[in-house]
């Protein structure tokens, strides 16, 4: 039985990846931080799975991870934990650097010291491209991050490359473009729109407050993207890959489609601008070129933009009707 170790298992990507690996017959270990109130909502349905074990540790406490790796000796290590919300990275830039940048080198050091045969996956981000140098963005596009989060992700990306080249570790980075799902945090714009539109439809609120409607993103479905992570770890050679749909849509398009799914005829009546959601430095156009992933991994997204928005809005309508959200 193959063993996998996941940081960030309680997050959106971690929960979908744990599902995938358990389906494939892995023994899965998930790192969780000890807090007075645990948030296991996304993995609640997996908690009692016989092949899932949660391990206490922290990205800031390298010893806890080194010890866990020494005991477990996993075949694969997926580093998905981070301070992952761009807006928060301006309010907490030092914390973002501590987790999202230095957290990566702590994980790599733990692998190097305690389990060097373990294959390592780093969750890189399209936010590294920021003020884009070319359209679409490929594995060779220069980075120009526009937020403390993007800057921290660039460090995490290059330190992964550095450890691969310096210590001959199997270490890869997946440069994932925006990927969404009903498990997305409420602070992210897609979930905020899906949830807000559902609440407007059901008479629970009047407007959806948003920042810049013109920002364009390459949005995919998180469940499709974790499959790409797994495929990257099965290759003979460790390589980095852009994972994206190759299509871009604006925040306004997402709002319009969400209103259409909910049966709200006038999206402009639903929208309300709130300047607090405007970024100090905006990333205007992100669109990835996934051709390398298609060619070498045999991966391409299964879920298109309309299907993704429909999936998210319908999940929010159901949850709000049940009073669970």
């Amino acid at each position: 039985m193959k063993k996998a170790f996941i940081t960030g298992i309680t997050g959106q990507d971690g929960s979908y990846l744990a599902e995938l690996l358990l389906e494939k017959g892995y023994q899965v270990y998930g790192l969780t931080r000890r807090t007075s109130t645990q948030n296991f909502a996304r993995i609640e349905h997996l908690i009692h799975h016989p092949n899932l074990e949660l391990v206490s540790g922290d990205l800031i406490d390298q010893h806890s991870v080194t010890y866990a790796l020494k005991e477990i000796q996993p075949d694969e290590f997926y580093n998905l934990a981070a301070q992952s919300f761009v807006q928060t990275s301006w309010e907490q830039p030092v914390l973002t650097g501590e987790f999202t940048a230095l957290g990566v080198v702590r994980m790599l050091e733990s692998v190097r010291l305690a389990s060097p045969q373990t294959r390592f996956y780093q969750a890189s981000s399209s936010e590294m491209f920021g003020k884009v140098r070319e359209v679409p963005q490929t594995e060779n596009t220069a980075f120009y991050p526009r937020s403390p989060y993007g800057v921290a992700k660039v460090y995490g990306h290059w330190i992964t490359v550095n450890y691969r080249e310096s210590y001959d570790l199997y270490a890869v980075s997946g440069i994932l473009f925006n990927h969404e799902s009903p498990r997305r945090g409420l602070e992210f714009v897609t979930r905020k729109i899906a949830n807000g539109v559902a609440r407007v439809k059901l008479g629970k609120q009047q407007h959806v407050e948003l920042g810049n409607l013109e920002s364009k993103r390459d949005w995919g479905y998180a469940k499709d993207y974790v499959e790409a992570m797994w495929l990257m770890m099965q290759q003979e050679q460790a390589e980095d890959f852009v994972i994206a749909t190759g299509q871009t849509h604006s925040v306004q398009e997402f709002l319009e489609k969400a209103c259409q799914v909910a049966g709200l005829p006038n999206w402009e009546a639903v929208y309300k601008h709130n300047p607090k959601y405007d970024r100090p430095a905006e990333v205007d156009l992100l669109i990835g070129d996934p051709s390398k992933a298609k060619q070498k991994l045999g991966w391409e997204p299964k879920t298109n933009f309309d299907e993704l928005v429909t999936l998210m809005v319908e999940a929010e309508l159901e949850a709000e009707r049940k009073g669970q959200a």
Side-chain angles (χ1 to χ4, degrees):
M1 184 184 286
K2 284 181 91 171
K3 292 181 284 187
F5 187 81
I6 304 172
T7 66
I9 194 169
T10 59
Q12 171 189 254
D13 292 6
S15 64
Y16 282 119
L17 179 63
E19 280 178 359
L20 178 74
L21 295 177
L22 289 169
E23 283 168 16
K24 291 183 178 295
Y26 279 66
Q27 173 71 36
V28 176
Y29 297 85
L31 190 76
T32 61
R33 273 191 295 166
R34 194 180 295 283
T35 57
S36 55
T37 54
Q38 293 282 16
N39 181 14
F40 292 148
R42 295 185 182 95
I43 57 168
E44 205 171 350
H45 60 299
L46 302 175
I47 287 288
H48 300 295
H49 195 289
N51 293 339
L52 175 67
E53 186 177 326
L54 298 180
V55 179
S56 183
D58 199 304
L59 263 66
I60 288 180
D61 180 16
Q62 186 183 328
H63 177 76
S64 64
V65 180
T66 305
Y67 180 78
L69 292 181
K70 187 180 175 187
E71 291 295 304
I72 296 164
Q73 296 291 304
D75 298 281
E76 298 166 9
F77 181 159
Y78 296 86
N79 185 40
L80 309 184
Q83 190 299 99
S84 61
F85 186 44
V86 175
Q87 194 78 32
T88 298
S89 75
W90 275 288
E91 296 154 13
Q92 298 181 310
V94 177
L95 180 80
T96 300
E98 197 67 66
F99 279 105
T100 308
L102 293 178
V104 183
V105 75
R106 291 191 192 100
M107 300 305 98
L108 285 161
E109 269 294 277
S110 294
V111 171
R112 184 178 76 84
L113 294 170
S115 188
Q117 82 291 343
T118 296
R119 294 187 167 204
F120 181 84
Y121 172 89
Q122 166 60 13
S124 286
S125 167
S126 60
E127 288 286 334
M128 301 188 304
F129 296 121
K131 192 174 183 178
V132 297
R133 307 284 84 191
E134 62 180 352
V135 179
Q137 294 89 53
T138 72
E139 291 80 5
N140 299 316
T141 302
F143 300 136
Y144 193 145
R146 297 269 281 171
S147 66
Y149 170 79
V151 172
K153 278 291 184 184
V154 170
Y155 177 90
H157 179 86
W158 281 118
I159 201 69
T160 303
V161 172
N162 184 257
Y163 268 64
R164 176 169 74 218
E165 294 176 351
S166 302
Y167 301 113
D168 199 29
L169 296 180
Y170 189 104
V172 299
S173 287
I175 307 172
L176 270 58
F177 279 64
N178 295 62
H179 45 290
E180 317 298 317
S181 77
R183 298 181 193 174
R184 210 28 157 162
L186 267 172
E187 68 272 25
F188 289 87
V189 69
T190 51
R191 176 86 193 284
K192 190 191 298 179
I193 292 171
N195 176 261
V197 164
R199 288 176 62 82
V200 170
K201 174 67 176 177
L202 299 174
K204 295 186 178 186
Q205 67 185 57
Q206 284 188 302
H207 300 103
V208 181
E209 295 190 2
L210 299 166
N212 180 17
L213 290 184
E214 302 308 311
S215 291
K216 292 185 174 180
R217 296 290 183 272
D218 184 328
W219 277 305
Y221 182 29
K223 196 170 183 178
D224 294 345
Y225 284 38
V226 298
E227 189 181 353
M229 295 178 190
W230 177 77
L231 285 167
M232 275 181 238
M233 298 282 262
Q234 313 313 310
Q235 304 307 300
E236 199 173 316
Q237 196 105 22
E239 291 183 70
D240 304 327
F241 289 88
V242 161
I243 303 300
T245 68
Q247 297 179 5
T248 190
H249 298 274
S250 68
V251 174
Q252 182 177 316
E253 284 177 76
F254 199 106
L255 177 61
E256 287 179 20
K257 181 63 186 176
C259 288
Q260 187 186 325
V261 172
L264 295 169
N266 185 2
W267 70 268
E268 289 172 286
V270 172
Y271 167 67
K272 186 176 182 182
H273 180 249
N274 188 334
K276 83 173 185 181
Y277 296 126
D278 292 334
R279 294 181 177 187
E282 185 56 86
V283 174
D284 297 310
L285 175 60
L286 290 176
I287 177 168
D289 177 359
S291 53
K292 181 183 173 184
K294 184 176 181 180
Q295 178 198 341
K296 292 199 170 185
L297 304 178
W299 179 89
E300 50 189 330
K302 300 184 180 85
T303 311
N304 66 32
F305 177 74
D306 285 358
E307 289 166 341
L308 174 65
V309 180
T310 302
L311 187 81
M312 291 183 69
V313 174
E314 287 179 348
E316 293 298 328
L317 284 166
E318 185 183 351
E320 286 291 338
R321 286 190 182 109
K322 288 179 179 174
Q324 291 173 348

